[in-house]
Amino acid sequence: MPTEKLEPHIPILAAESAPWSVASLKRLFTEYQMSNVSFVDNAYKTLHKGRFEKFSLILISDILEKGESLKVLSQIRSEGKNKQIPIIFMYQDGDEETAEKAVSSGASATVKKPVEERVLREAIEGLIDKYILTVTLMEEKDQENESATMSGVEKGQKLLALGDFEGAEAAFEDAMMTGGGSPEVFCGLAEVYLARGDKAAAEQVLGEAVRIDPSAQEKFDGRNLALIQKAKQFLADENLDEAEDKFNEALLKGGEVFDVYAGLAEVHLRKSDKEAAERAIAEAEKIDPEVRERFKKLESELVDKGDEKYTEGELEEAKDAYECAIVANDKSVAGNVGLGETLQKMGDQEGADAAFKKAVESDERPKDLHVYNKMGIIARKEKDFELALDSYDRALFFNPFDPILFYNKAMVYVAQSDFVECLNLLEKALECNPDFREAKEVRKKINKMMKK
């Protein structure tokens, strides 16, 4: 595996005429953090740039307007500034013969269309012998480091509460190694040193905490670690009533209250108490305006709870759970779809419409794109064709090669007797999956019906 990272500003030429493929490539290069990509849409432009401008990588599609891709590839290889640089040829699935001709014409590698993220990344890395640091991988590494740091801090605090000063010190030092210095790590070490009676060492590490966060000293002086840690442990064990009692006890004692309000908010969300959760979050937001980010982790759990209650026919409880999922993440697509479905069954069509609208307008990709399909089916049954189409369009935005989505969208047009648009969508579904039996059958029936 390459050990050197590929620079994100290397010049790349991408020759492609199909708009959908261009859009896909742009998303992939964004994921690869490559910002110096020139896109051309016909053979003339490709040949001109390939001969007279120097690139580090060239991608050529099998279909180019105003010329033949293989001839363009061959000419770039025979003359100009890019005779030796890597060229990747993109060909349609099933057209291996053209791919073989491309290799004979000078292609360094070939990839099938639609181009998969992993396949293209591995092809580039293999040709250039450098690894690509994707946006996803970078975020995952940052999250891993942050998670490891916070895990070490939590472990140190638990050991400190138990009086295991040696273990707590080791945990805080491990946290420092994974995430560097942070106020929480230094404050934890300060508590260890004070517990041992080493005031000078405590003041030294507190100075480091204050350097990172000027309010660290004030926060440290007001800590009520034992109560908060007990409350967090109760929360981790799902003893919600005991956790709430301990957080409230810590709140009465004053001092650092951010963790208290954040803890209470999580308790109330898990207890499906939307109003109490909102009040606690509002208080926590006065200290940290970004506090809501920490509750997004609860979204899936609360949606699952809502789904369970809905299945059991407990609609009021389902509504409360979905509303709390939306409190945890106000962009929750699954939460709003579940809430809309529940309100619809409860007879509140206005509320259901508002929830469905929020789901469609959310700019956040849900973990499970099936939720859009679910909303589309619900809307189609209610003859809300506009919402149904919006639902499928939103899903296709995130997954433009799903034949089921094209098929289901086509069924909306069938319900509206718009057979022309229905056939267009069925063709797209079959382009994604030529063996899609249901799509073939519906297409055959509609064509037969339209000929009468």
Side-chain angles (χ1 to χ4, degrees):
M1 179 178 177
T3 57
E4 184 180 349
K5 188 183 84 169
L6 183 64
E7 290 300 320
H9 302 302
I10 64 167
I12 299 173
L13 176 63
E16 174 60 81
S17 295
W20 66 266
S21 186
V22 172
S24 176
L25 287 173
K26 286 182 177 180
R27 284 196 295 273
L28 292 180
F29 284 124
T30 298
E31 171 68 10
Y32 299 156
Q33 303 189 76
M34 292 180 176
S35 57
N36 190 13
V37 184
S38 300
F39 284 89
V40 290
D41 58 4
N42 65 52
Y44 297 148
K45 295 177 183 177
T46 305
L47 184 56
H48 179 80
K49 282 185 172 289
R51 291 173 61 190
F52 298 109
E53 297 182 29
K54 181 66 176 175
F55 294 96
S56 297
L57 175 69
I58 295 177
L59 283 77
I60 298 178
S61 171
D62 58 345
I63 300 176
L64 286 179
E65 295 178 355
K66 302 179 181 179
E68 296 183 19
S69 300
L70 294 178
K71 288 183 178 180
V72 171
L73 170 59
S74 180
Q75 286 180 279
I76 291 175
R77 276 294 184 232
S78 63
E79 57 185 345
K81 296 185 176 183
N82 296 288
K83 291 190 290 183
Q84 302 299 324
I85 65 98
I87 298 179
I88 297 176
F89 187 81
M90 301 176 291
Y91 67 98
Q92 297 291 333
D93 188 9
D95 191 7
E96 280 71 20
E97 182 180 350
T98 300
E100 291 175 3
K101 290 180 180 179
V103 173
S104 299
S105 299
S108 310
T110 61
V111 296
K112 288 189 290 189
K113 295 194 296 185
V115 179
E116 296 180 8
E117 185 276 326
R118 178 187 57 79
V119 173
L120 180 58
R121 172 166 45 83
E122 290 179 354
I124 295 173
E125 291 176 336
L127 292 172
I128 300 181
D129 196 28
K130 294 182 181 180
Y131 73 88
I132 296 172
L133 181 60
T134 65
V135 172
T136 302
L137 180 60
M138 185 173 67
E139 289 176 348
E140 286 176 354
K141 286 185 176 180
D142 288 343
Q143 289 173 358
E144 284 175 8
N145 287 338
E146 182 180 353
S147 176
T149 301
M150 295 313 297
S151 176
V153 169
E154 291 173 2
K155 180 181 178 181
Q157 290 173 340
K158 288 178 181 178
L159 293 171
L160 185 61
L162 294 171
D164 183 354
F165 304 134
E166 184 175 343
E169 183 177 14
F172 288 127
E173 288 176 348
D174 286 344
M176 190 180 298
M177 293 296 294
T178 58
S182 74
E184 292 81 6
V185 172
F186 287 123
C187 286
L189 285 170
E191 289 202 46
V192 171
Y193 298 148
L194 283 178
R196 287 177 172 171
D198 191 344
K199 185 177 180 182
E203 289 178 349
Q204 183 179 359
V205 292
L206 274 176
E208 290 298 314
V210 171
R211 183 178 58 80
I212 300 169
D213 177 5
S215 63
Q217 182 71 57
E218 181 182 352
K219 293 177 180 178
F220 181 81
D221 291 341
R223 276 191 170 194
N224 196 333
L225 183 61
L227 277 174
I228 294 175
Q229 286 307 313
K230 285 182 181 178
K232 288 182 176 180
Q233 188 57 55
F234 280 132
L235 183 56
D237 295 338
E238 298 187 11
N239 295 325
L240 301 182
D241 290 335
E242 292 89 342
E244 184 176 2
D245 289 343
K246 289 300 178 185
F247 279 127
N248 282 326
E249 189 177 342
L251 189 63
L252 290 173
K253 291 199 172 187
E256 170 56 62
V257 295
F258 172 76
D259 280 346
V260 176
Y261 283 122
L264 282 170
E266 183 169 345
V267 169
H268 296 316
L269 286 172
R270 291 181 182 277
K271 294 175 82 169
S272 297
D273 190 340
K274 173 189 172 184
E275 286 74 18
E278 286 282 19
R279 287 195 297 270
I281 292 173
E283 292 298 326
E285 280 182 318
K286 293 177 183 177
I287 304 168
D288 179 4
E290 304 298 323
V291 67
R292 285 185 183 269
E293 285 296 315
R294 71 187 289 171
F295 299 115
K296 286 186 177 182
K297 64 182 180 180
L298 297 175
E299 176 193 354
S300 295
E301 175 187 329
L302 294 167
V303 168
D304 289 345
K305 181 178 179 181
D307 291 344
E308 180 182 343
K309 295 297 181 183
Y310 181 87
T311 301
E312 294 172 353
E314 300 176 17
L315 299 183
E316 194 64 44
E317 291 81 357
K319 171 177 169 289
D320 290 342
Y322 288 131
E323 285 180 339
C324 281
I326 297 167
V327 171
N329 179 13
D330 62 351
K331 294 182 179 181
S332 172
V333 176
N336 277 295
V337 171
L339 178 61
E341 186 178 14
T342 303
L343 291 175
Q344 195 173 69
K345 194 157 189 177
M346 294 173 75
D348 182 0
Q349 190 59 48
E350 183 178 350
D353 290 342
F356 287 139
K357 183 180 179 184
K358 282 186 66 178
V360 170
E361 292 178 349
S362 173
D363 60 0
E364 187 169 275
R365 178 190 175 110
K367 292 181 179 179
D368 182 5
L369 291 177
H370 174 72
V371 70
Y372 287 119
N373 199 33
K374 176 182 178 182
M375 181 164 56
I377 293 171
I378 294 170
R380 191 178 74 196
K381 288 181 179 178
E382 294 297 319
K383 301 189 184 305
D384 188 345
F385 301 127
E386 182 179 358
L387 175 60
L389 293 174
D390 286 345
S391 302
Y392 293 125
D393 285 341
R394 196 67 184 144
L396 286 166
F397 173 80
F398 292 115
N399 188 5
F401 309 113
D402 188 330
I404 300 296
L405 294 174
F406 283 119
Y407 176 82
N408 286 346
K409 185 178 178 182
M411 294 304 97
V412 178
Y413 283 106
V414 168
Q416 299 178 87
S417 299
D418 187 344
F419 301 120
V420 174
E421 187 59 33
C422 172
L423 286 174
N424 289 335
L425 289 164
L426 290 173
E427 291 298 336
K428 291 181 180 179
L430 289 167
E431 285 177 13
C432 298
N433 179 9
D435 299 323
F436 195 165
R437 181 173 56 81
E438 290 85 352
K440 288 181 180 179
E441 291 175 354
V442 173
R443 181 180 64 178
K444 181 178 179 181
K445 289 179 182 178
I446 291 177
N447 280 326
K448 185 176 181 181
M449 183 173 56
M450 291 178 71
K451 289 179 182 177
K452 290 183 178 180

